Amino acid sequence: MKKATAILTAGIMAMGVITSGVTVFAEETEEKTYSVTYNMNNGNAEDMPEFQFLSGNMKGMVSNESRLYVEIDLTLDGKDAYKLTSDCYVLENGKKAEIGDDTGIGLTLTTTAEGTYTDNGDDTVTISTPEHVHHDMLTDTYSVQMKQSVGMNVLGNEEDGSYDSDDLPELTSMVPETIFTLNDKDEIVTYNYLHPEDYETKDDAEKTDTAEAGNELIAIPSDDEATTFTLFDNGTYEFYFASYDVKDNGTYAYDADSQTLTITDANGKETTSTVDGDNVKFHYEYSESNQLTGDFTVEAAALADAVK
């Protein structure tokens, strides 16, 4: 990243600082950009860290939706300044889907940040908390439904728009101190928090969710096996859509006499099961979007035994 300075005898070249008959040349600098693009088709989506310097965690979506990309570029000026760009977008038929086009899946989710970095001398650099951050979050007819599913928000604000740390200094928290591993192919190999102990991992969060929900009684896979509906012993449930890493929680009640399961989501919407022979059936819709659904069938005897 930094070229070694040359030391030549005086008189060879006119430039430099002459000291005791020796010319010491100023350090040469070279700006370089290191990049990585995460996508299901690239085979690296599962390797993407849990944060991407964006207003939501796109890992689950990118790992299951081949049209979604996250591209991260880190430009180092060869001295101590960096510029980071993280861009999440949708490719449809070989081109970026734009806001307002006929696909309805256009997405602008872009962060730019500037600050200082330290070259650690071992193929890694550490970026500091940025001095300036700008973030654009714009969605369309269908892409707007990603907001709840991946937690897209800017300091708790889910409104589309442009956000800047000049107006919201707290925006710099979107880009924590991070260690990047780089290679000589101008690639970002990986990156991670400088202080990972300060951030809750995904596994820790899932353990916390489970503990709050209670002990699992029964996990019911949907008929197409794309989603799971889990009942806990404290009267709560969790609907999980694996492809989008979406969870939905609420409460349930079971009537043994009628073999009826009544489900109440976070918005108070009720869903009631039906009996079909020896089975209990129900259709569930994600509380924030009717586009994420699951049809479930469970043996009545197994359900009754689990929640007795």
Side-chain angles (χ1 to χ4, degrees):
M1 282 171 266
K2 293 185 178 181
K3 294 183 178 179
T5 57
I7 301 180
L8 303 174
T9 30
I12 295 179
M13 296 183 70
M15 62 184 295
V17 179
I18 301 177
T19 305
S20 302
V22 176
T23 301
V24 181
F25 287 89
E27 189 177 51
E28 298 179 23
T29 61
E30 179 183 0
E31 181 178 283
K32 295 187 78 172
T33 298
Y34 299 84
S35 304
V36 62
T37 299
Y38 294 103
N39 176 256
M40 183 179 175
N41 294 326
N42 291 352
N44 64 354
E46 293 292 340
D47 299 327
M48 184 168 68
E50 294 291 337
F51 70 106
Q52 304 91 43
F53 315 99
L54 299 170
S55 52
N57 183 354
M58 311 304 295
K59 183 170 183 177
M61 192 78 73
V62 170
S63 298
N64 292 279
E65 173 52 73
S66 62
R67 295 173 296 179
L68 196 66
Y69 291 74
V70 170
E71 180 180 341
I72 298 174
D73 299 311
L74 178 66
T75 300
L76 309 177
D77 71 350
K79 298 177 183 178
D80 64 358
Y82 76 81
K83 178 178 180 181
L84 173 75
T85 302
S86 182
D87 188 20
C88 180
Y89 53 88
V90 177
L91 280 187
E92 179 73 358
N93 296 323
K95 66 178 183 178
K96 282 189 178 182
E98 303 289 343
I99 304 295
D101 65 18
D102 58 3
T103 67
I105 59 175
L107 175 69
T108 299
L109 197 63
T110 306
T111 299
T112 57
E114 298 90 31
T116 60
Y117 74 94
T118 300
D119 185 344
N120 300 315
D122 58 356
D123 296 326
T124 69
V125 297
T126 301
I127 65 170
S128 66
T129 300
E131 298 166 3
H132 179 259
V133 172
H134 183 88
H135 180 67
D136 292 318
M137 181 173 68
L138 301 171
T139 54
D140 210 335
T141 306
Y142 301 113
S143 58
V144 68
Q145 296 174 7
M146 294 168 56
K147 284 187 175 180
Q148 287 290 333
S149 61
V150 301
M152 284 170 58
N153 71 86
V154 179
L155 303 177
N157 192 337
E158 297 180 358
E159 292 296 319
D160 278 1
S162 293
Y163 298 82
D164 198 281
S165 61
D166 288 347
D167 304 312
L168 294 169
E170 301 90 343
L171 200 65
T172 58
S173 64
M174 290 181 64
V175 183
E177 293 178 287
T178 302
I179 297 178
F180 286 84
T181 300
L182 312 172
N183 65 21
D184 57 7
K185 298 179 182 179
D186 298 343
E187 296 171 334
I188 296 172
V189 178
T190 189
Y191 59 90
N192 199 0
Y193 295 115
L194 177 61
H195 302 291
E197 68 276 6
D198 293 339
Y199 299 89
E200 185 179 47
T201 66
K202 180 180 178 183
D203 288 341
D204 289 339
E206 289 179 347
K207 289 177 183 176
T208 300
D209 289 344
T210 301
E212 291 176 352
N215 297 313
E216 179 182 314
L217 295 178
I218 186 171
I220 308 167
S222 59
D223 297 346
D224 61 3
E225 300 185 346
T227 61
T228 306
F229 197 87
T230 303
L231 303 181
F232 297 94
D233 63 358
N234 64 350
T236 65
Y237 71 82
E238 180 175 274
F239 169 76
Y240 182 53
F241 201 122
S243 294
Y244 296 99
D245 197 21
V246 171
K247 293 180 180 179
D248 205 22
N249 299 97
T251 60
Y252 73 90
Y254 178 71
D255 186 294
D257 294 332
S258 62
Q259 296 181 317
T260 300
L261 184 68
T262 302
I263 301 160
T264 306
D265 70 13
N267 296 323
K269 178 184 174 183
E270 287 192 354
T271 300
T272 303
S273 67
T274 60
V275 177
D276 182 9
D278 294 331
N279 296 320
V280 172
K281 291 178 172 287
F282 60 95
H283 174 80
Y284 186 81
E285 294 183 355
Y286 175 47
S287 62
E288 301 297 337
S289 170
N290 60 13
Q291 299 298 307
L292 302 182
T293 66
D295 289 299
F296 297 87
T297 302
V298 58
E299 290 183 0
L303 179 61
D305 185 60
V307 298
K308 62 183 178 181

